[in-house]
């Protein structure tokens, strides 16, 4: 084990998640938060992000140096390695920014529904850059749901939903069992790709900013016909299931913008060929 305890790994395997795990100091988290605010303010509003122009919310690690560094943060990778092994790719990343008083929320869903990856081994590291609690609308996870396999989802056209099509699990989720994932800046949670989770609106006074980084072991492949891209962030890629993405040379470097556009376009194309897989997530 690199940093997780055996109990933490057992909890992840049995319950589908683990938290909190401190990966950086509150000061370092504040530095990242300021970088997010400096580079991505326009993306705080999902309506903006949906306009079809370049979305900084999705895969910001292809566009900005701070994000490229964050997805390669040694302690985040150590925790992820304890769960999925030493050869690690970033498949996706979403910035989850809820402003105070906004009605934005995330419906009950399983991440794996959207990605078309097999086997179901992807883990999301959710990095808190501001306080994430019941007031600010933290993530809530229903324990042990990761063992239920892929559940059907339906599109729910509601502009408050922060998923591109409002993809929502089609069954009654027993919310009474949901665990609030309360995190302080600099802590992460880790959740399994099949764990059902959601989050409520931010009723607090501070922004709620988190970055959800989807990591996969290099042997995981995409099942659709589109060849997708991913970033090798630790170890070796001996499988070649993805075109490897470049790290940005500087913020919004023209090559970085082009790589982001290519990666995003393929992701959307894949989402059309796999009905369960949908866009911005
Ligand atoms: O941050 C949120 O409220 C939702 C996060 C989420 O759905 C995810 O990281 O998979």
């Amino acid at each position: 084990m690199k940093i997780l305890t055996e109990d933490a790994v057992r909890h992840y395997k049995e319950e589908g998640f683990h938290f909190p795990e401190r990966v950086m100091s509150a000061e370092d988290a504040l530095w990242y938060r300021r970088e997010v605010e400096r580079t991505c303010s326009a993306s705080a509003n999902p309506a903006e992000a949906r306009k079809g122009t370049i979305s900084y919310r999705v895969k910001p690690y292809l566009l900005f140096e701070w994000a490229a560094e964050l997805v390669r943060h040694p302690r985040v990778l150590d925790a992820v390695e304890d769960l999925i092994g030493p050869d690690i790719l970033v498949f996706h990343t979403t910035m989850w920014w809820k402003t105070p008083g906004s009605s934005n929320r995330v419906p009950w869903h399983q991440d794996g529904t959207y990605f078309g990856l097999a086997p179901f081994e992807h883990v999301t590291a959710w990095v808190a850059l501001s306080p994430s609690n019941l007031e600010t609308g933290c993530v809530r996870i229903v324990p042990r749901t990761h063992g239920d396999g892929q559940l059907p989802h339906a599109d729910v056209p509601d502009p408050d939903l922060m998923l591109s099509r409002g993809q929502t699990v089609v069954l009654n989720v027993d919310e009474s069992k949901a665990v609030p994932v309360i995190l302080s800046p600099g802590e992460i949670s880790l959740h399994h790709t099949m764990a059902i989770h959601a989050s409520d609106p931010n009723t607090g006074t501070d922004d709620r900013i988190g970055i959800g980084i989807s990591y996969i072991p290099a042997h995981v492949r995409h099942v659709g016909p589109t060849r997708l891209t991913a970033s090798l962030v630790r170890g070796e890629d001996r499988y070649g299931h993805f075109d490897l993405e470049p790290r940005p040379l500087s913020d919004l470097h023209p090559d970085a913008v082009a790589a982001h556009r290519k990666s995003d376009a393929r992701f959307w194309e894949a989402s059309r060929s796999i009905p369960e897989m949908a866009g911005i997530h």
Side-chain angles (χ1 to χ4, degrees):
M1 286 306 146
K2 294 240 168 200
I3 62 167
L4 297 187
T5 62
E6 277 176 22
D7 272 357
V9 174
R10 191 176 319 116
H11 191 274
Y12 177 86
K13 286 191 178 145
E14 287 174 5
E15 306 293 323
F17 61 92
H18 162 65
F19 76 95
E21 194 65 42
R22 178 156 293 282
V23 293
M24 66 181 84
S25 65
E27 292 74 33
D28 286 353
L30 184 61
W31 180 83
Y32 279 109
R33 176 178 176 161
R34 296 293 176 238
E35 285 293 279
V36 170
E37 290 166 348
R38 180 179 68 79
T39 55
C40 303
S41 312
S43 294
N45 178 352
E48 286 298 315
R50 274 198 207 99
K51 279 185 186 160
T53 51
I54 186 170
S55 172
Y56 296 173
R57 261 189 93 211
V58 173
K59 291 201 179 212
Y61 64 87
L62 292 180
L63 295 169
F64 301 112
E65 290 182 279
W66 65 264
E69 195 179 293
L70 183 62
V71 300
R72 292 169 177 83
H73 193 289
R75 276 188 72 82
V76 176
L77 290 178
D78 283 349
V80 170
E81 179 171 341
D82 286 341
L83 299 178
I84 65 172
D87 297 323
I88 304 174
L89 298 168
V90 174
F91 174 70
H92 205 60
T93 291
T94 306
M95 183 165 43
W96 300 102
W97 187 341
K98 286 188 201 161
T99 50
S102 87
S103 45
N104 291 145
R105 62 189 176 85
V106 175
W108 294 107
H109 69 282
Q110 295 169 301
D111 294 341
T113 312
Y114 313 118
F115 290 149
L117 297 174
F120 289 143
E121 290 180 24
H122 122 237
V123 54
T124 298
W126 198 98
V127 187
L129 299 182
S130 70
S132 192
N133 50 45
L134 285 169
E135 255 198 344
T136 60
C138 64
V139 174
R140 295 189 300 135
I141 302 183
V142 186
R144 295 183 178 247
T145 45
H146 66 304
D148 295 347
Q150 176 69 72
L151 300 167
H153 286 59
D155 294 353
V156 176
D158 177 344
D160 286 336
L161 300 182
M162 295 176 86
L163 303 183
S164 57
R165 299 197 312 230
Q167 309 88 323
T168 306
V169 161
V170 186
L171 89 163
N172 286 330
V173 174
D174 186 354
E175 298 200 22
S176 67
K177 295 207 173 98
V179 175
V181 180
I182 295 172
L183 297 172
S184 298
E187 292 178 337
I188 62 168
S189 59
L190 298 154
H191 68 255
H192 186 276
T193 185
M194 285 292 124
I196 296 180
H197 58 289
S199 71
D200 291 330
N202 181 353
T203 58
T205 52
D206 193 2
D207 288 347
R208 199 224 57 174
I209 303 175
I211 312 281
I213 311 167
S214 302
Y215 292 102
I216 53 173
H219 62 259
V220 162
R221 65 197 161 78
H222 183 254
V223 298
T226 311
R227 189 163 166 86
L228 294 181
T229 66
S231 286
L232 182 67
V233 289
R234 180 170 278 184
E236 256 185 278
D237 176 16
R238 281 168 285 125
Y239 296 87
H241 292 321
F242 299 89
D243 286 347
L244 296 182
E245 299 163 334
R247 190 173 174 156
L249 294 172
S250 59
D251 286 355
L252 296 176
H253 186 284
D255 294 348
V257 172
H260 184 263
R261 189 167 290 131
K262 180 171 104 181
S263 171
D264 220 28
R266 291 200 203 171
F267 188 79
W268 279 99
E269 192 184 318
S271 83
R272 283 194 294 274
S273 56
I274 300 177
E276 297 85 4
M277 186 180 166
I280 300 176
H281 182 81

